[in-house]
Amino acid sequence: MLKIENLNVSYGDTQVIWDVNLEVNEGEVVTLLGPNGAGKTTIMKTICGLVPAKSGKITFMGEDLLKVKPWDRPKKGIVLIPEGRKLFPKMTVEENLNIAAWKEEGKKETLEWIFDTLPRLAERKKQLAGTLSGGEQQMCAIARGIMAQPKLLMLDEPSLGLAPIIVEQVFDLIQKLQSRGITVFFVEQFVEQSLKIAARGYLLEGGRIVLHEESQKMLNNDYVRQVYLGIA
């Protein structure tokens, strides 16, 4: 579904992404792991068109994505849930969801699925988004992305700043999205939890992919265990 080939990205004269190759197949859950400052968010933003590519190629469903304007990419089926949620705080939960529903077909069914899956949001649908708890805001942000009926849903640090029990709920929701037929590509720092729900993982360090394996192999990788899981 998504294919990145030899991607290089710079901020001015400073190169931050180096020759990245990455694939996400239709129906998969794939995670991009790595420390802070590795360039994970930059890759997400480049896929969305928020940051230009210096060189390389990105294709989505066989189409050259770099020729598609950023504002047209959601209509192709690419949706990003950004780090920090970015809700409209003075709008209600329901208004935040509806503003993303640019496609009328399937809108009602999608909203019903969201409220069935996330009953807490249903209870809060008339409440201002800015008054929700951090966990509720994150669920609302993900739900807003779902309302756009994406083919590929990308999440940037969905567990950031959340209590452990809420983090579990977020990972559970990601698995439910896969069962709904949505392909998921997400950035995370919780290595073990991410690899338990993903089919494959990529490890990004210093703007370069240093490891790519099936999740179970990655969990058993000596380097990953020592550096990221703290297991000698």
Side-chain angles (χ1 to χ4, degrees):
M1 176 179 277
L2 176 73
K3 188 172 185 178
I4 297 175
E5 299 173 86
N6 302 316
L7 179 67
N8 292 277
V9 182
S10 296
Y11 291 114
D13 294 330
T14 305
Q15 186 162 344
V16 292
I17 298 298
W18 303 78
D19 297 315
V20 163
N21 292 279
L22 185 151
E23 290 186 11
V24 180
N25 298 314
E26 189 169 359
E28 271 192 318
V29 173
V30 176
T31 185
L32 178 62
L33 307 167
N36 281 333
K40 305 184 300 295
T41 295
T42 296
I43 289 176
M44 290 279 190
K45 288 183 174 180
T46 305
I47 294 168
C48 292
L50 301 175
V51 173
K54 179 182 178 182
S55 63
K57 189 175 182 181
I58 304 177
T59 54
F60 181 71
M61 308 290 284
E63 182 177 2
D64 185 352
L65 201 58
L66 297 182
K67 293 181 179 179
V68 180
K69 298 293 185 184
W71 50 85
D72 287 328
R73 296 187 194 190
K75 294 182 180 179
K76 299 290 183 182
I78 299 171
V79 172
L80 171 67
I81 312 297
E83 181 184 332
R85 300 149 199 165
K86 304 293 191 295
L87 296 174
F88 296 99
K90 295 185 178 180
M91 294 171 63
T92 66
V93 167
E94 198 165 31
E95 287 168 340
N96 267 275
L97 300 185
N98 283 329
I99 204 169
W102 61 272
K103 188 164 59 174
E104 195 62 36
E105 183 183 355
K107 174 182 172 180
K108 181 182 177 183
E109 293 78 9
T110 303
L111 187 61
E112 288 175 351
W113 184 85
I114 287 170
F115 285 154
D116 285 344
T117 307
L118 302 170
R120 190 80 170 186
L121 284 188
E123 294 170 8
R124 301 279 192 270
K125 65 182 179 181
K126 299 300 182 184
Q127 189 171 325
L128 296 183
T131 66
L132 300 175
S133 69
E136 290 167 347
Q137 286 188 16
Q138 186 60 281
M139 292 301 185
C140 186
I142 296 173
R144 184 176 59 182
I146 298 168
M147 283 299 293
Q149 301 182 50
K151 295 175 182 174
L152 173 67
L153 185 66
M154 301 192 298
L155 301 98
D156 189 2
E157 300 281 9
S159 68
L160 187 67
L162 300 181
I165 190 168
I166 306 298
V167 172
E168 287 182 21
Q169 292 173 14
V170 169
F171 283 115
D172 181 60
L173 178 58
I174 290 173
Q175 290 178 292
K176 288 178 179 176
L177 294 176
Q178 184 185 28
S179 67
R180 189 171 169 79
I182 298 173
T183 303
V184 179
F185 179 45
F186 71 106
V187 160
E188 255 303 338
Q189 289 190 59
F190 284 108
V191 172
E192 186 172 9
Q193 295 94 320
S194 300
L195 290 173
K196 283 181 178 178
I197 67 167
R200 295 181 293 112
Y202 289 86
L203 182 58
L204 188 74
E205 293 182 351
R208 302 175 189 270
I209 298 291
V210 297
L211 183 64
H212 165 228
E213 287 184 329
E214 293 178 359
S215 291
Q216 193 56 53
K217 289 182 179 179
M218 213 164 183
L219 281 168
N220 294 329
N221 182 282
D222 289 341
Y223 178 73
V224 172
R225 287 168 65 84
Q226 291 172 14
V227 176
Y228 290 94
L229 302 181
I231 301 172

